[in-house]
Amino acid sequence: MMNLADSAPVTNNLLGSEADSQRTLYPYVTGTSVIGIKYKDGILFAADMGGSYGSTLRYKSVERLKSVGKHSVIGASGEISDFQEIMRYLDELILYDNMWDDGNSVGPKEVHNYLTRVMYNRRNKFNPLWNSLVLGGIKNGQKYLGTVSMIGVNYVDDHVATGFGNHLARPILRDEWHENLTYEEGVKLLEKCMRVLLYRDRSAVNKLQIAKITDEGFTLSEPYSLKTFWDFNAFKNPTLGAEGSW
Amino acid sequence: MFRNQYDTDVTTWSPAGRLFQVEYAMEAVKQGSAAIGLRSKTHVVLASVNKASSELSSHQKKIFKVDDHIGVAIAGLTADGRVLSRYMRNECINYSYTYESPLPVGRLVVQLADKAQVCTQRSWKRPYGVGLLVGGLDESGAHLYYNCPSGNYFEYQAFAIGSRSQAAKTYLERKFESFMDSSREDLIKDALFALRETLQGEKMTSSICTISILGAGEAFHVLDQETVQRLINEFEVVGEEPPADDEAAAPDAEAAAPDAAEGAAPDQGAAPMDI
């Protein structure tokens, strides 16, 4: 059935792989925003548990926050299968690190930069891992929080987000984040951001988890929902004054 | 050591379970000019005696910077040493590039040892004829290691290799217990004293020794000649002997602490690699 023309090796190596079916062209099952913030004792992450299949909110128990070794947490948005692949790479990285058994261990900075190399190299082969990742952690009291995109863009900050979170959550964080947030304050701030995302991001689902990492270790909350209020005046007659809309 | 019928190939065992080619490689280390290393909790000092083949030539480089946080001093076939230094630099820089973090010295040392071991188990290779004193930092502080042509490595508080290194080791064995808490300056001074022992009466000047140091917050670097000469002059003015506890720090030179300067009994019939 396969055309001979398709199976002949492509001489144009700019695209890296032989046939198009071998490269990632578009994502299928995707997660939406992840938010991460530094707080007094470490890092807090929030992400919902939705896995969208295009416009369908198909999977509602997808864990998009995972721990990496003893010191780091990763949160992913984008293609879920690629996130699973990334987790395999990271589990292997941690395994070999542990096998040295020498008192040294990879911290969040090392994991972040390792991921950057992976993402950027895949991007250069035109076969990206279709994710935006948030990577944070704490080691020897030093807090670290950064992000990597599918094209290998890497930066660190006191608060980071992926996707819609950059547009809806970060302005809130720029106003309200400060260095000495307690755990309760941090969670409240994250919930405020997640609520906005729930209202305004169509791929958000109302079932989220909060992950925390401190020098004591990693915890991942049980999934829970946010209370929402739909009787805001702004939500009633939303198109009032918008000519031509309905 | 005498020639025998089991020493032609590195892949031939002797009936006593020795690999003579590897032991001969370790002899090459003993023929090189001395190199010394000592460490405290926070710093490592590497020092070497500069041998020049003639007055007209420059001396061989025996101390190499591997990374900001790792340095190495070699004794033996310096060409082999250069090649291994390049390997170490490569490993460090690749790790830094991927992880934006310095390669822990303990891991580099194991990689180096594994590389040396390969040469003891291939018929078409020969062991590296160089001993390396690797000083570096990792998460748990400053460390000093000695890498052997045999593929073994050991961690030390202080050590000396190369010709007349026994004199330096004797000095270090007396003083090593105080090194952990030594200040940076005292550590350098002790290195100079130990180096002086290997000169056996020859006049000590900054042109025949090289001193290097690295520490937490201090990148590896070689001290310049002026500084070294000034330090030499300081203790030559004060007097012959190194200051303080010569007696107090020597409970029992034999029953030394776990990290004691080792290698005191090279080949008394026991294969050196067994130590």
Side-chain angles (χ1 to χ4, degrees):
Chain A
M1 246 319 276
M2 273 267 282
N3 290 342
L4 277 158
D6 282 351
S7 46
V10 172
T11 50
N12 169 18
N13 278 322
L14 282 173
L15 296 175
S17 295
E18 313 253 331
D20 260 9
S21 63
Q22 309 284 18
R23 321 188 278 120
T24 300
L25 297 171
Y26 19 74
Y28 284 88
V29 179
T30 57
T32 185
S33 321
V34 179
I35 319 174
I37 59 172
K38 286 186 188 171
Y39 81 108
K40 190 161 58 77
D41 304 324
I43 320 286
L44 283 168
F45 286 66
D48 68 25
M49 300 192 75
S52 302
Y53 186 64
S55 55
T56 305
L57 301 179
R58 187 162 173 189
Y59 302 104
K60 303 202 186 160
S61 293
V62 180
E63 273 189 13
R64 300 194 291 116
L65 301 171
K66 298 268 183 203
S67 78
V68 181
K70 287 190 302 227
H71 306 284
S72 319
V73 184
I74 185 173
S77 66
E79 173 61 56
I80 298 298
S81 64
D82 282 349
F83 176 48
Q84 291 170 350
E85 183 76 350
I86 287 170
M87 284 317 296
R88 283 192 334 112
Y89 288 147
L90 290 179
D91 288 340
E92 196 178 78
L93 179 73
I94 299 296
L95 175 71
Y96 283 124
D97 189 51
N98 289 339
M99 274 166 63
W100 282 104
D101 196 20
D102 64 350
N104 294 301
S105 52
V106 285
K109 179 162 79 136
E110 288 81 14
V111 178
H112 187 210
N113 286 294
Y114 169 77
L115 283 172
T116 304
R117 290 293 117 233
V118 172
M119 302 300 272
Y120 184 64
N121 274 305
R122 290 287 298 253
R123 165 260 195 208
N124 282 342
K125 295 195 263 198
F126 282 87
N127 186 16
L129 289 160
W130 206 286
N131 296 108
S132 283
L133 307 167
V134 170
L135 204 300
I138 180 167
K139 191 168 171 218
N140 299 331
Q142 287 260 47
K143 296 185 273 244
Y144 185 94
L145 181 61
T147 177
V148 197
S149 76
M150 69 189 249
I151 56 172
V153 175
N154 148 323
Y155 54 89
V156 294
D157 209 337
D158 296 324
H159 44 81
V160 293
T162 67
F164 266 80
N166 276 309
H167 301 106
L168 299 173
R170 292 203 72 205
I172 301 175
L173 295 169
R174 283 183 203 117
D175 273 346
E176 299 188 24
W177 181 90
H178 61 85
E179 259 204 77
N180 294 312
L181 292 166
T182 63
Y183 173 71
E184 290 73 23
E185 288 172 340
V187 173
K188 264 187 76 178
L189 190 52
L190 284 175
E191 285 180 351
K192 182 170 182 177
C193 297
M194 293 300 281
R195 187 172 287 107
V196 173
L197 287 166
L198 185 58
Y199 288 137
R200 295 296 179 176
D201 177 4
R202 73 161 191 182
S203 1
V205 303
N206 194 3
K207 186 174 169 195
L208 68 140
Q209 288 179 302
I210 303 277
K212 162 168 81 87
I213 185 137
T214 61
D215 267 325
E216 266 106 52
F218 167 79
T219 59
L220 182 62
S221 74
E222 282 299 301
Y224 68 103
S225 314
L226 296 170
K227 288 209 178 58
T228 56
F229 180 72
W230 296 93
D231 274 335
F232 286 114
N233 279 326
F235 292 169
K236 300 183 187 151
N237 303 319
T239 56
L240 198 66
E243 278 311 314
S245 192
W246 65 94
Chain B
M1 257 189 266
F2 298 113
R3 275 230 72 197
N4 54 72
Q5 52 184 287
Y6 308 109
D7 70 354
T8 309
D9 251 301
V10 75
T11 50
T12 302
W13 287 101
S14 82
R18 296 162 73 161
L19 291 169
F20 281 101
Q21 278 297 307
V22 176
E23 294 183 25
Y24 294 166
M26 281 149 77
E27 279 299 312
V29 176
K30 296 179 199 162
Q31 303 305 326
S33 60
I36 292 171
L38 348 60
R39 65 120 177 188
S40 70
K41 226 178 290 178
T42 52
H43 288 81
V44 185
V45 173
L46 295 171
S48 71
V49 170
N50 303 335
K51 209 174 15 181
S53 53
S54 81
E55 271 189 30
L56 299 167
S57 78
S58 64
H59 64 82
Q60 287 203 306
K61 188 164 174 193
K62 287 161 55 80
I63 296 188
F64 299 91
K65 174 171 176 167
V66 169
D67 203 339
D68 283 341
H69 69 296
I70 299 181
V72 61
I74 64 174
L77 266 53
T78 45
D80 283 2
R82 255 195 348 264
V83 158
L84 289 177
S85 301
R86 185 166 58 232
Y87 168 76
M88 292 165 77
R89 285 171 175 168
N90 210 40
E91 291 299 301
C92 280
I93 215 168
N94 284 340
Y95 187 91
S96 269
Y97 174 71
T98 306
Y99 301 102
E100 286 280 322
S101 210
L103 175 59
V105 64
R107 296 189 181 186
L108 178 62
V109 158
V110 173
Q111 285 176 249
L112 195 56
D114 289 347
K115 191 173 164 67
Q117 190 280 340
V118 169
C119 298
T120 68
Q121 210 175 7
R122 306 278 185 271
S123 61
W124 61 91
K125 285 182 180 258
R126 65 156 175 85
Y128 288 104
V130 65
L132 303 110
L133 282 170
V134 183
L137 301 172
D138 71 15
E139 285 197 334
S140 42
H143 298 270
L144 174 69
Y145 295 92
Y146 171 51
N147 277 75
C148 238
S150 61
N152 282 331
Y153 68 96
F154 308 93
E155 183 166 3
Y156 285 98
Q157 193 66 47
F159 199 45
I161 57 178
S163 67
R164 295 188 282 200
S165 59
Q166 186 53 55
K169 270 188 259 181
T170 310
Y171 172 81
L172 294 170
E173 274 170 22
R174 281 194 344 249
K175 305 234 33 219
F176 77 91
E177 270 158 340
S178 63
F179 289 164
M180 214 39 170
D181 297 310
S182 261
S183 72
R184 179 189 181 278
E185 286 63 36
D186 283 340
L187 211 61
I188 296 177
K189 230 183 268 179
D190 275 314
L192 282 164
F193 280 128
L195 210 57
R196 199 173 59 157
E197 301 293 312
T198 68
L199 295 172
Q200 306 268 345
E202 238 180 285
K203 176 101 171 78
M204 187 173 194
T205 67
S206 59
S207 54
I208 56 168
C209 40
T210 311
I211 316 275
S212 65
I213 186 164
L214 69 97
E218 184 176 358
F220 177 90
H221 62 283
V222 175
L223 302 180
D224 62 272
Q225 270 213 312
E226 278 172 37
T227 314
V228 178
Q229 190 59 54
R230 188 175 36 83
L231 290 162
I232 294 175
N233 295 339
E234 268 170 31
F235 70 71
E236 305 242 287
V237 167
V238 168
E240 281 295 302
E241 281 319 298
D245 51 50
D246 290 4
E247 293 72 52
D252 192 291
E254 288 322 319
D259 277 346
E262 244 191 57
D267 42 15
Q268 251 71 302
M273 303 84 90
D274 287 346
I275 299 169

